[in-house]
């Protein structure tokens, strides 16, 4: 195996599947199956999931809502998605724990670093909900922060495109894909991988990021097996 412990970052929008909003149970089951395969290989898996399929604080602020209030709503949306993914994984007999950055003791454990690492060592999947627990920080920032805290080997950012391109491949057909790229090149070229706060934090802690297409069946297991999937961002 190329990695021992990974942090998988999923967007909330990815859970919509073919729907316009909310959670597509078919897509959820597909993701759970992919994650189960990785766990079966003995790899320790932590997950951070967004909440954009339910609510985005930035979108709320654009319509006049208080940004802090909107971001708190977004944090709760990530907990809903975390519960959904936990349920899907447990239906496939994968032991899972949901930890949150905001206290919802009846629903999930509070985030405790040592406890999270212990769960991972026991082969349980740990889902981190509630972002960082602070407004104005994205789930990308939460993913990098948690990855550093649990000493993950890599962040695997699952998207709907198969890597990082010179420009948006959905809009520009001449865009070319990078197999590997440095943090410095990403910043110099103005490429969008994560928000600047998250990306800089990853760079400072020398934590590599792999951007790949999570919606293609088998990609996740191929990636952890060492195949050249997606784009690797490294020093």
């Amino acid at each position: 195996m190329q990695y021992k412990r990974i942090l998988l970052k999923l967007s909330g929008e990815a859970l919509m599947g073919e729907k316009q909003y909310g959670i597509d149970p078919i897509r959820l089951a597909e993701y759970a199956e992919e994650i189960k395969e990785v766990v079966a290989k003995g790899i320790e898996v932590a997950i951070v999931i967004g909440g954009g399929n339910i609510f985005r604080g930035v979108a709320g602020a654009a319509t006049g809502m208080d940004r802090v209030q909107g971001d708190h709503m977004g944090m709760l949306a990530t907990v809903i998605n975390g519960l959904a993914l936990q349920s899907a994984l447990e239906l496939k007999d994968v032991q899972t724990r949901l930890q949150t950055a905001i206290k919802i003791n009846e629903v999930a454990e509070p985030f405790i670093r040592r406890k999270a690492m212990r769960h991972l060592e026991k082969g349980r999947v740990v889902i981190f909900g509630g972002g960082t627990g602070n407004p104005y920080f994205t789930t990308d920032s939460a993913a990098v922060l948690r990855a550093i805290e649990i000493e993950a080997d890599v962040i695997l950012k699952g998207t709907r495109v198969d890597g990082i391109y010179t420009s948006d491949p959905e809009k520009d057909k001449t865009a070319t894909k990078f197999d590997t790229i440095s943090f410095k090149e990403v910043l110099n070229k103005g490429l969008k991988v994560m928000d600047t706060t998250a990306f800089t934090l990853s760079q400072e802690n020398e934590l590599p990021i792999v951007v790949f297409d999570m919606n293609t069946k088998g990609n996740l297991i191929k990636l952890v097996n060492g195949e050249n999937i997606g784009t690797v961002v490294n020093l």
Side-chain angles (χ1 to χ4, degrees):
M1 294 295 103
Q2 190 170 1
Y3 307 111
K4 172 64 178 163
R5 178 178 292 167
I6 65 171
L7 188 135
L8 176 63
K9 169 63 171 67
L10 299 173
S11 70
E13 287 91 338
L15 295 187
M16 292 191 297
E18 302 304 316
K19 291 175 173 280
Q20 296 299 311
Y21 62 90
I23 299 169
D24 179 359
I26 296 171
R27 175 60 54 80
L28 197 61
E30 288 171 351
Y31 280 2
E33 188 59 42
E34 297 268 317
I35 294 162
K36 180 181 179 177
E37 284 184 52
V38 173
V39 174
K41 292 283 187 180
I43 295 168
E44 297 170 8
V45 181
I47 302 169
V48 169
I49 191 160
N53 56 321
I54 299 171
F55 192 83
R56 277 187 176 278
V58 175
T63 59
M65 179 181 285
D66 177 70
R67 172 65 189 272
V68 174
Q69 202 85 339
D71 279 355
H72 282 136
M73 291 171 70
M75 289 177 211
L76 293 174
T78 69
V79 177
I80 292 170
N81 285 340
L83 286 166
L85 185 57
Q86 181 181 37
S87 179
L89 285 164
E90 288 178 345
L91 281 172
K92 296 185 181 295
D93 298 318
V94 179
Q95 286 195 21
T96 311
R97 295 291 185 272
L98 174 62
Q99 293 195 343
T100 60
I102 48 179
K103 290 181 181 177
I104 319 179
N105 293 340
E106 291 78 10
V107 174
E109 298 177 1
F111 169 68
I112 300 171
R113 175 179 176 265
R114 286 178 180 271
K115 203 167 185 179
M117 293 178 78
R118 185 68 179 136
H119 287 321
L120 291 167
E121 288 163 3
K122 288 184 174 181
R124 297 166 183 153
V125 171
V126 180
I127 303 169
F128 298 117
T132 65
N134 301 289
Y136 296 99
F137 288 91
T138 66
T139 49
D140 278 347
S141 292
V144 176
L145 179 62
R146 295 290 179 253
I148 294 164
E149 287 178 306
I150 64 168
E151 299 173 11
D153 299 320
V154 67
I155 294 176
L156 305 182
K157 185 174 168 68
T159 66
R160 62 187 182 189
V161 293
D162 62 346
I164 301 170
Y165 284 76
T166 50
S167 58
D168 188 344
E170 294 180 346
K171 296 176 183 176
D172 182 4
K173 300 301 178 187
T174 63
T176 55
K177 181 187 159 198
F178 297 100
D179 288 329
T180 59
I181 189 168
S182 69
F183 283 99
K184 190 174 181 180
E185 282 180 287
V186 169
L187 292 170
N188 288 344
K189 294 176 187 295
L191 302 174
K192 186 68 177 169
V193 177
M194 290 178 164
D195 68 82
T196 310
T197 304
F199 193 75
T200 304
L201 187 61
S202 188
Q203 181 183 21
E204 286 175 351
N205 288 274
E206 301 181 10
L207 181 65
I209 303 166
V210 181
V211 179
F212 73 107
D213 178 8
M214 181 68 184
N215 295 339
T216 299
K217 186 174 172 57
N219 264 1
L220 183 59
I221 192 69
K222 287 176 184 174
L223 203 162
V224 297
N225 276 332
E227 290 189 36
N228 187 20
I229 302 288
T231 302
V232 180
V233 185
N234 217 326
L235 292 177

